[in-house]
Amino acid sequence: MSGTERRGIILAGGSGTRLYPITMGVSKQLLPIYDKPMIYYPLSVLMLTGIRDICIITTPQDQAQFQRTLGDGSQWGLSLTYVEQPSPDGLAQAYLLAEDFLDGAPSAMVLGDNIFFGHGLPEQLRIADEQAQGGTVFGYRVADPERYGVVAFGPDKRVTGIVEKPEVPPSPYAVTGLYFLDGSAPERARKVTPSDRGELEIVTLLESYLADGLLNVRQMGRGYAWLDTGTHASLLDAGNFVRTLSDRQGQQVGCPEEIAFENGWIDRAQLLDRAALFQKTNYGKYLRRLAD
């Protein structure tokens, strides 16, 4: 870990209009991905990094749903703080909303609808976490880079730019929804001017790090899965992906109890309490097997 303990942010705001009508009464990030709420997956990414102090940014109307689902985090050995996002004004806005929570600490922010999976993921996360200065983002090869913020590389493979939804992508590497930034992120976010669509763009914030020679892009190779769940089809695909892994391997994807238990943040008795809560489900049986 760096000198100042890194804190986590999960951006779980937004109106979810691309998933209407299923998000008209429930937050997108609380929709099920197979057997767990969507937010369990990004939460697990922060936990795998070793982060225990986490801010959940939600819309005002959805905050009570998240608090009912996640509580204060103590069941996983975490401390959860809730912050309202009055209106969705861009991803970089998260650093302004979470400024008091961060209190100068470096952060890892993950988007609430992103799912990461792969052998060696914890090691990738720890390497990013150990970088005390600047920022680290992850590039993932996609077939349709024009839908994303795309990394441009120079002849020496160094990052030369990040282009938002380019008509002619400079590379097939999209920037994923996971950002490790140092303590200067809120200050830099304050200097971001709204884009043509009126939002504080994360790409503009990352460009400020790049301009100072402080942005590192780590490429996620073939052994990793990165799923975003922005459409009905991708939501279904993500659920099927998790189900296939769970059924074939008998292991959970995105299980906060398992990570907390393995990290020593909760003991066997606490794990058994969670297993009892979910005793009528395969998830509960899995937790029981972990405890045994």
Side-chain angles (χ1 to χ4, degrees), residues 221-242:
R222 290 184 177 212
Y224 294 92
W226 169 51
L227 309 171
D228 72 38
T229 50
T231 66
H232 298 103
S234 60
L235 193 65
L236 182 62
D237 288 344
N240 286 330
F241 174 80
V242 170

Side-chain angles (χ1 to χ4, degrees), residues 87-126:
S87 59
D89 296 326
L91 303 187
Q93 183 193 26
Y95 295 97
L96 302 179
L97 296 171
E99 185 170 14
D100 289 345
F101 164 79
L102 292 175
D103 194 24
S107 62
M109 181 170 82
V110 59
L111 303 186
D113 61 356
N114 275 219
I115 297 171
F116 295 87
F117 179 79
H119 179 69
L121 181 62
E123 288 75 20
Q124 286 265 24
L125 298 171
R126 297 292 168 104

Side-chain angles (χ1 to χ4, degrees), residues 1-209:
M1 290 290 281
S2 49
T4 306
E5 198 84 356
R6 192 177 296 271
R7 297 185 172 189
I9 302 170
I10 302 178
L11 183 53
S15 50
T17 51
R18 285 196 299 160
L19 287 173
Y20 272 9
I22 57 175
T23 49
M24 292 177 77
V26 64
S27 169
K28 167 185 174 178
Q29 291 86 4
L30 292 176
L31 293 174
I33 301 296
Y34 186 45
D35 58 351
K36 293 176 291 299
M38 187 187 295
I39 198 167
Y40 270 39
Y41 299 89
L43 178 68
S44 295
V45 168
L46 297 180
M47 293 175 71
L48 286 171
T49 307
I51 294 172
R52 301 177 70 174
D53 209 357
I54 298 169
C55 173
I56 315 277
I57 298 177
T58 76
T59 64
Q61 65 270 24
D62 291 330
Q63 192 170 100
Q65 293 179 352
F66 283 93
Q67 290 171 323
R68 192 164 64 247
T69 303
L70 304 175
D72 63 2
S74 58
Q75 70 274 27
W76 301 307
L78 305 177
S79 173
L80 300 183
T81 299
Y82 295 89
V83 170
E84 291 184 359
Q85 182 185 37
S87 59
D89 296 326
L91 303 187
Q93 183 193 26
Y95 295 97
L96 302 179
L97 296 171
E99 185 170 14
D100 289 345
F101 164 79
L102 292 175
D103 194 24
S107 62
M109 181 170 82
V110 59
L111 303 186
D113 61 356
N114 275 219
I115 297 171
F116 295 87
F117 179 79
H119 179 69
L121 181 62
E123 288 75 20
Q124 286 265 24
L125 298 171
R126 297 292 168 104
I127 290 169
D129 179 44
E130 284 165 6
Q131 185 177 330
Q133 272 200 312
T136 299
V137 295
F138 294 87
Y140 188 87
R141 189 183 182 98
V142 294
D144 50 354
E146 62 279 355
R147 288 181 51 219
Y148 302 95
V150 179
V151 184
F153 296 99
D156 56 357
K157 301 294 183 187
R158 289 178 68 86
V159 182
T160 58
I162 298 175
V163 190
E164 184 66 31
K165 296 180 180 170
E167 288 185 18
V168 182
S171 84
Y173 284 93
V175 177
T176 71
L178 178 58
Y179 316 91
F180 284 76
L181 301 182
D182 65 17
S184 71
E187 181 188 339
R188 291 173 183 270
R190 259 196 302 279
K191 296 174 183 172
V192 172
T193 54
S195 64
D196 292 342
R197 58 180 185 168
E199 295 191 0
L200 303 180
E201 305 289 353
I202 192 77
V203 166
T204 310
L205 176 59
L206 296 178
E207 282 172 344
S208 82
Y209 281 95

